[in-house]
Amino acid sequence: MRLSPLPQKAPSKAFRYLVGSAAGAAVLLGVSTAAFPASASATPASSQRIDVWIDHALLVMRAEGIPGSHEGIRRNLIRESAGDPFAINLWDSNAKAGIPSKGLMQVIDPTFRTYHVNGTSWDIYDPIANITAACNYAAKRYGSIDNVNGAY
């Protein structure tokens, strides 16, 4: 799978503030990769890191009334991206139309924007934002991510 690099942006004021604190660094390192614009890699995250992302996403989802379980999210996440938060599908019909699926849950940009969950990043590669948007979409279309057992 060929991956394209993320755009490099100047660090935001919030990013500089968080990096300046030990607690902020722990949050950034333990929960989300979006604050560190890095080169895309084809390396899946560790199982433990994936579990942290899913647990964090579930907290956001519960606060927003979005159904889903750890097992349902994990099953779909592994099938869609094998745990690589920078995965990009460059071969399916979406990619051929110029809107490739991206991130852990393989969401296209228009779906991400439509089903974005308040309080999460607008970066489609942010694991929490990607998971919650995908689960929000699945909830509206299928009742829950738990009901999705194939490409969605």
Side-chain angles (χ1 to χ4, degrees), residues 86-123:
F86 298 107
I88 301 174
N89 181 325
L90 297 174
W91 59 267
D92 71 1
S93 60
N94 288 323
K96 289 177 185 170
I99 48 171
S101 304
K102 301 173 183 175
L104 288 170
M105 301 291 280
Q106 291 294 280
V107 180
I108 61 173
D109 289 324
T111 301
F112 180 78
R113 286 190 301 271
T114 300
Y115 293 96
H116 174 263
V117 177
N118 288 333
T120 65
S121 167
W122 280 95
D123 180 352

Side-chain angles (χ1 to χ4, degrees), residues 25-102:
V27 168
L28 291 172
L29 291 173
V31 176
S32 176
T33 60
F36 294 105
S39 299
S41 74
T43 306
S46 70
S47 182
Q48 181 181 16
R49 187 165 206 162
I50 290 168
D51 287 338
V52 169
W53 290 331
I54 293 171
D55 289 343
H56 187 139
L58 283 167
L59 289 173
V60 173
M61 290 165 56
R62 285 188 191 110
E64 295 294 321
I66 302 168
S69 70
H70 189 98
E71 296 76 21
I73 294 170
R74 181 176 256 286
R75 178 184 68 245
N76 284 283
L77 182 153
I78 295 301
R79 182 190 65 250
E80 293 293 336
S81 69
D84 180 1
F86 298 107
I88 301 174
N89 181 325
L90 297 174
W91 59 267
D92 71 1
S93 60
N94 288 323
K96 289 177 185 170
I99 48 171
S101 304
K102 301 173 183 175

Side-chain angles (χ1 to χ4, degrees), residues 127-139:
I128 310 310
N130 191 278
I131 292 168
T132 57
C135 289
N136 194 22
Y137 166 77

Side-chain angles (χ1 to χ4, degrees), residues 11-28 35-36:
S12 69
K13 189 174 187 179
F15 174 78
R16 291 190 306 269
Y17 173 78
L18 283 172
V19 171
S21 71
V27 168
L28 291 172
F36 294 105

